[in-house]
Amino acid sequence: MYDAQQNPDQPDGPDGPDDSDRTGRSDGPGQPGQPEQPDGPTGRNPGQAPEYGPLAGFTVGVTAARRADELGTLLQRRGGAVLHAPALRIVQLADDSELLAATKEIIGQAPDIAVATTAIGFRGWVEAADGWGLGEDLLARLRGARILARGPKVKGAIRAAGLTEEWSPSSESMAEVLDRLLEEGVDGLRIALQLHGEPLPGFVESLRAAGADVVGVPVYRWMPPEDIAPVDRLLDAVVARTLDAVTFTSAPAVMSLLSRAGERGLLDDVLAAFGHDVLPACVGPVTALPLQARGVDTVHPERFRLGPLVQLLCRELPGRVRSLPVAGHRVEIRGHAVVVDGELRPVPPAGMSLLRALARRPGWVVARAELLRALPGTGRDEHAVETAMARLRAALGAPRLIQTVVKRGYRLALDPQADAKYGDGDGGA
């Protein structure tokens, strides 16, 4: 049986999160009685709401080919940095010989039932038929058919074409459409099924097994991107863990990205990154299937739209950040920035590498040799650690956050009351 399906290419509507949804933490300065006072004023009043968005300090990869600008704008409006790498391109309908052939087949032999799955796809089909001089003939055939619409936006496109749908499921689920067709009986009926960029094998096979003649109408088809360089940059960023999340709005985009990773010999590394450090965020459960089939857990919003997807990231990414009490400050380490007492401070990549190495064992001494290995590049001079550490301290605006332990290395100056929670391990100054 075909699984309940959201349509990843359905227009998502203007229901994105508004600015009142912003979240952020302002933990304020250290508590009285702590051994060290903050190194300088933050310019903020205790309890004052942060001025940055919930995604500030995080970098999100966007793989969408369609509506990528809209998704990127929503992410940036909430403070996030965006790396765009369209994993697919869409064949233009007017140039699609397969769509033309399917249209002529339907005009030549009228369907008994037509199933419309997406508003943009249905409108594009009618417009393409008009361009070929077949628009009136197509509409005439569809007027004689029972039309089923997957959801309300598709109903609007059907009515705009001068047609009327017979029925639409309240769930917007293709599974419910299939159940209705099979319950009513389709033996001997001809069904035109508007596809939406990815195959519906369970759907089509179930109808054919029940005796229907199914004509697939590929209103748009996915192809690999013409320029593969952005995809390669995104894959490299995933493996390097310089991305905090990657968004997917269609299952073909997931499969295309994983296929390219396999071609480059990076598939295992990419899956490992998605499994632990880089959050794969999908618009819905069907989009997530290729990753879940490889054992990768994903997140998706309850409503399969761009706005809720961004809202989900606004909750998930800040929620994955650990707040540490360090030298009388509250410190949150984000992807490419650090929040110190509620103030966002951008940090260079080398500094972030050092800080993550120190934060893996808060309060423990980390040797210079180990920190050198954490730095980007393959240098062997431990002076590079000292240079990067100086820049890191300057970026943080609170030099006492990181303590130098003579002849041993560096440590995050974890507050004494936190020692029991995090352990002092190799042990302090």
Side-chain angles (χ1 to χ4, degrees), residues 26 28-29 38-46 48 329 340-343 345 397:
S26 179
D39 294 87
T42 64
R44 309 174 55 79
N45 295 322
Q48 179 180 344
H329 298 268
V340 181
D341 296 333
E343 183 176 359
R345 292 184 168 273

Side-chain angles (χ1 to χ4, degrees), residues 88-365:
L88 298 166
R89 61 185 172 92
I90 301 173
V91 176
Q92 295 299 314
L93 299 183
D95 302 327
D96 196 332
S97 59
E98 289 190 20
L99 177 61
L100 175 59
T103 302
K104 289 181 176 179
E105 184 177 352
I106 288 170
I107 293 172
Q109 184 179 352
D112 301 291
I113 299 171
V115 179
T117 60
T118 69
I120 188 173
F122 190 84
R123 285 195 301 267
W125 183 21
V126 173
E127 291 169 2
D130 281 336
W132 297 323
L134 301 173
E136 287 302 322
D137 292 338
L138 174 62
L139 292 177
R141 289 303 197 189
L142 293 177
R143 285 190 188 97
R146 298 163 50 205
I147 301 178
L148 277 59
R150 188 196 60 83
K153 293 184 178 180
V154 194
K155 288 165 58 175
I158 290 169
R159 294 175 185 180
L163 304 172
T164 303
E165 80 286 350
E166 176 184 280
W167 175 80
S168 179
S170 58
S171 65
E172 302 185 39
S173 165
M174 288 297 286
E176 191 172 346
V177 174
L178 179 60
D179 289 343
R180 182 182 178 95
L181 289 171
L182 295 178
E183 183 177 324
E184 293 179 348
V186 295
D187 189 25
L189 298 182
R190 184 173 174 81
I191 299 176
L193 173 62
Q194 178 223 317
L195 305 174
H196 54 65
E198 56 187 280
L200 305 175
F203 192 99
V204 173
E205 290 170 1
S206 296
L207 292 177
R208 287 176 175 162
D213 175 20
V214 181
V215 179
V217 182
V219 293
Y220 39 81
R221 288 185 293 115
W222 300 113
M223 298 288 287
E226 292 181 338
D227 182 5
I228 202 67
V231 174
D232 286 345
R233 285 194 292 270
L234 184 141
L235 289 171
D236 290 340
V238 169
V239 172
R241 274 69 167 176
T242 55
L243 285 179
D244 299 288
V246 177
T247 60
F248 297 98
T249 56
S250 71
V254 180
M255 293 185 286
S256 177
L257 190 74
L258 296 182
S259 175
R260 179 58 181 169
E263 291 172 4
R264 295 185 58 202
L266 296 176
L267 182 57
D268 289 343
D269 293 334
V270 167
L271 294 175
F274 281 147
H276 296 94
D277 303 300
V278 181
L279 178 67
C282 300
V283 77
V286 173
T287 297
L289 288 176
L291 284 168
Q292 292 177 346
R294 294 179 178 273
V296 176
D297 291 330
T298 65
V299 297
H300 65 79
E302 292 184 3
R303 299 183 65 245
F304 312 140
R305 299 287 186 268
L306 294 187
L309 178 62
V310 173
Q311 286 179 322
L312 178 67
L313 288 172
C314 288
R315 295 190 302 270
E316 288 284 337
L317 290 182
R320 290 158 65 97
V321 174
R322 182 171 58 178
S323 179
L324 295 172
V326 182
H329 298 268
R330 278 285 169 181
V331 176
E332 293 183 2
I333 302 172
R334 299 192 169 197
H336 60 263
V338 179
V339 178
V340 181
D341 296 333
E343 183 176 359
L344 186 75
R345 292 184 168 273
V347 174
M352 288 303 305
S353 297
L354 293 181
L355 192 56
R356 289 194 191 96
L358 295 171
R360 278 195 287 269
R361 294 176 292 175
W364 292 27
V365 176

